[in-house]
Amino acid sequence: MSLLADVLLMFITIVFPPFGVFIISGCSVDLLINIALTSLGYFPGVIHAFYLEYVYMQRRDYGIIEPFEPAPGVYSDVINTGGRQAYGAIVVEETIVA
């Protein structure tokens, strides 16, 4: 994503936190948790949504070291991997011979 897309995502999250979480995680447990937190109060939902976006953007920008450690309180693989989730892909390990 570009900087403009990130700023737009943050603006959407400020207006309606569950929609911002839905954009990055899809329909997941994190979305249900955010809906519950937002229904309890606006600020808990916003804080949770920004935390999820922080983890997502950090892992997207810096890459993942396999095996990755799930972030505390994040249950979506899409967020934990920074959007690099490859469903059904075959991972082939390369061996370097010196």
Side-chain angles (χ1 to χ4, degrees), residues 30-61:
D30 291 318
L31 176 64
L32 296 175
I33 292 171
N34 191 268
I35 290 171
L37 287 172
T38 304
S39 66
L40 291 174
Y42 174 75
F43 291 111
V46 169
I47 292 169
H48 180 253
F50 276 120
Y51 171 69
L52 294 177
E53 289 176 10
Y54 168 76
V55 170
Y56 175 79
M57 290 178 191
Q58 181 186 28
R59 292 182 179 212
R60 179 195 66 199
D61 293 341

Side-chain angles (χ1 to χ4, degrees), residues 56-80:
Y56 175 79
M57 290 178 191
Q58 181 186 28
R59 292 182 179 212
R60 179 195 66 199
D61 293 341
Y62 296 117
I64 314 162
I65 300 171
E66 293 292 335
F68 69 93
E69 285 277 330
V74 178
Y75 302 102
S76 173
D77 286 339
V78 175
I79 295 174
N80 274 319

